[in-house]
């Protein structure tokens, strides 16, 4: 494989790594939104107060209002539970994306190292050719000097 083809493969691998990195960054933003949402739901539960409080403990709290508050809290608890479950699945997908990013990095590094070795080999071949050329010139000059 020639150097230009290797350079192109390195660029393609870099783009792949960038693309997977962008996907992971978007997944992290989504994860943060899940976490913030779960925290807000916890705050809503705290603000709702006790749903099973006796009417004497909370004056003005009718049995119907206590029942509504209990249903509200159950709904919020259910929603928070679904969010936690979705967050766990999302974090699992993030782990897979992290592995894909690591693999993309590894592939890019392997091709970049191969490219570097080929560049070094080319430079060494040029140096050898240059030494041979100067040796040939020196030999020609020496032979002319003897004649």
């Amino acid at each position: 494989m020639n150097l230009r083809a290797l350079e192109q493969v390195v660029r393609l691998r870099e783009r792949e790594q960038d693309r997977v990195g962008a996907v992971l960054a978007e997944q992290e933003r989504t994860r943060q939104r899940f976490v913030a949402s779960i925290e807000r739901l916890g705050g809503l539960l705290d603000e709702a107060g006790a749903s099973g409080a006796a009417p004497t403990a909370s004056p003005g709290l009718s049995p119907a209002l206590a029942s509504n508050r209990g249903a509200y809290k159950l709904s919020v608890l259910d929603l928070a539970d679904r969010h936690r479950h979705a967050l766990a699945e999302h974090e699992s997908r993030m782990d897979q994306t992290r592995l894909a990013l690591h693999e993309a990095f590894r592939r890019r590094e392997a091709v970049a190292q191969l490219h570097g070795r080929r560049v070094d080999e080319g430079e060494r071949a040029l140096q050898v050719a240059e030494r041979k050329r100067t040796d040939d010139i020196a030999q020609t000059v020496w032979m002319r000097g003897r004649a």
Side-chain angles (χ1 to χ4, degrees):
M1 189 178 278
N2 66 28
L3 285 178
R4 283 192 178 169
L6 279 174
E7 287 174 8
Q8 187 175 19
V9 172
V10 169
R11 284 193 301 273
L12 288 172
R13 296 291 186 223
E14 286 173 350
R15 278 190 232 137
E16 176 190 14
Q17 184 180 350
D18 291 344
R19 181 188 56 78
V20 175
V23 168
L24 184 60
E26 179 60 34
Q27 286 178 335
E28 175 59 26
R29 286 189 290 276
T30 301
R31 188 193 72 76
Q32 289 173 353
R33 285 193 299 270
F34 268 120
V35 169
S37 177
I38 291 169
E39 289 173 359
R40 282 192 302 274
L41 289 170
L44 289 174
L45 283 173
D46 293 341
E47 289 175 11
S51 56
T56 56
S58 301
L61 185 62
S62 70
L65 185 56
S67 175
N68 284 346
R69 187 180 287 175
Y72 168 78
K73 287 182 79 172
L74 283 176
S75 295
V76 172
L77 281 171
D78 182 52
L79 183 59
D81 187 51
R82 283 186 279 153
H83 271 53
R84 279 190 283 280
H85 180 71
L87 175 60
E89 289 176 353
H90 182 74
E91 286 175 338
S92 175
R93 286 189 299 274
M94 284 182 72
D95 289 340
Q96 292 171 352
T97 304
R98 281 187 193 98
L99 289 173
L101 180 60
H102 176 72
E103 196 59 30
F105 175 78
R106 189 192 59 73
R107 283 192 303 268
R108 184 193 59 81
E109 276 299 307
V111 174
Q113 287 176 2
L114 176 62
H115 178 262
R117 283 194 305 269
R118 294 284 170 89
V119 167
D120 291 345
E121 289 170 2
E123 289 174 357
R124 279 193 301 275
L126 287 175
Q127 290 171 353
V128 166
E130 180 63 22
R131 276 195 306 266
K132 182 175 177 358
R133 190 180 67 79
T134 56
D135 288 348
D136 288 345
I137 291 172
Q139 182 180 10
T140 302
V141 169
W142 183 76
M143 292 296 273
R144 284 187 185 161
R146 288 190 70 196

